[in-house]
Amino acid sequence: MLFARSKLLSAREYLKAHFTEKVNWVQISDSEITSILSEAIADYKKEIEKLIVSDPEVSGNIALLVDYVIRYALKEKASDIHIEPLRTETLIRFRKDGMLHNVFTFPQKIHTAVIARFKILANAKIDEYRRPQDGRIEPADIPDVSLRVSFIPTLHGEKIVLRVLDDSGQTLTLNDLGFSEEQEKTLLQNIEKPFGMIVTSGPTGSGKTTTLYALLHALKNDSINISTLEDPVEYSLSGVNQMQINPRLDISFATGLRAFLRQDPDVIMVGEIRDAETMNMSANAAMTGHMVLTTIHTNDAPSAFVRFLEMGVDDFVLTSIINLVIAQRLVRRVCDKCTESVPLDPIIYSKLLEREDIISVFKENGVKKLEDLSTMKFSKGKGCDVCMNTGYKGRLGLYELLLPTKNIRDLILKHASSEEIKESAKKDGYKDMVSDGVTKVLAGRTTIEEVLRVTRHV
Ligand SMILES: [Zn+2]
């Protein structure tokens, strides 16, 4: 039954609160409830606004408000919900496609009650408001979704951030993530090798883990044992053993990895390599016949080698275990529904002129003169209902794939700089993510603005 085990407001409670005159809520069937409810709450935002202006302090209304905020965020496919106390009101923002958007504000007088409602749902302590707390909400009527909740004390009251976790086990394919056919071929060739390491690099929020999940999905079959060590587990993958880092129980990347190695592994994903101990254990696992997938925080693919050497890995070991390094950034996709062909904004054009790296890729792609860029037309969303008027819907990756060719292995043995590695790789046909970005701009999949934004520090 819909809403049955939920700690969120049940459908019958909802109807009782809102439709007493219209329907005899006691006698109607569950399927009728479902359809009435879906019509009634088709637009959560309107419902929330109604609650805020009516009498928000009534306790039933607080429960409804919190319920709708969660449902509205899920409907909008937000990845995070921020509930922030300001001086005179509380601001709700959703993160969508990597960007925060203001959604609405509610009066400060109900802030404490809203926080308390979230604490009840998340099994957090209601009377603790001076220390940070964590919790989890698992709405039973919304399958495959759970929310990780964090409460922190701030100057004007407690702030909550809810991260939406997808438990559906559905993984995006490499193609969905924006890898080209050629890149996909390289990836598949390298994960099918019997042992070694595949590394994805990039800053937090660049989609590294999602790429590894897609690779695990491509690798998965009944004849191999796949284990992952994550901090935290953000998606559940069926048929994969997922373990979460827990410092209180002494489960770190290093101790977890040691335990996995006693469990007859074939493929191991180590969420992140942050220290020499984890790197050396991962390198050992890769050398002894295992496929290790991992991530590292570096700006680009060539820097990953330099960073590993700084961690004290033997250079010869490094050259023999790394199969492939991927570096990536996420850009927003142009909304299909409102895309149009327009010239560049003059401000963007002037910013573009400062970026020699991007200009040189345009030149390689047949743009002869710089002035041509000011008259060329590019795809851009003008904003519509589907994309919350942002002109963007969904995201895709900009990727660079670096294979350790003979030239690069020699440079690693010489402890060369990342610039030297990059120069040499280019001679072997390596294309960096700026180049991938320009290709995607020319294909109308993203915009120059997005490429400029995410490749500033490459
Ligand atoms: Zn649109």
Side-chain angles (χ1 to χ4, degrees), residues 342-360:
V342 289
L344 283 181
D345 178 292
I347 297 169
I348 301 300
Y349 176 68
S350 64
K351 279 188 187 165
L352 182 59
L353 295 185
E354 292 165 17
R355 289 286 301 269
E356 281 173 32
D357 53 343
I358 302 184
I359 300 281
S360 72

Side-chain angles (χ1 to χ4, degrees), residues 50-70:
K50 254 192 262 167
L51 281 173
I52 293 170
V53 295
S54 64
D55 195 356
E57 281 177 288
V58 177
S59 69
N61 284 356
I62 299 285
L64 264 181
L65 185 71
V66 166
D67 191 0
Y68 289 163
V69 167
I70 295 175

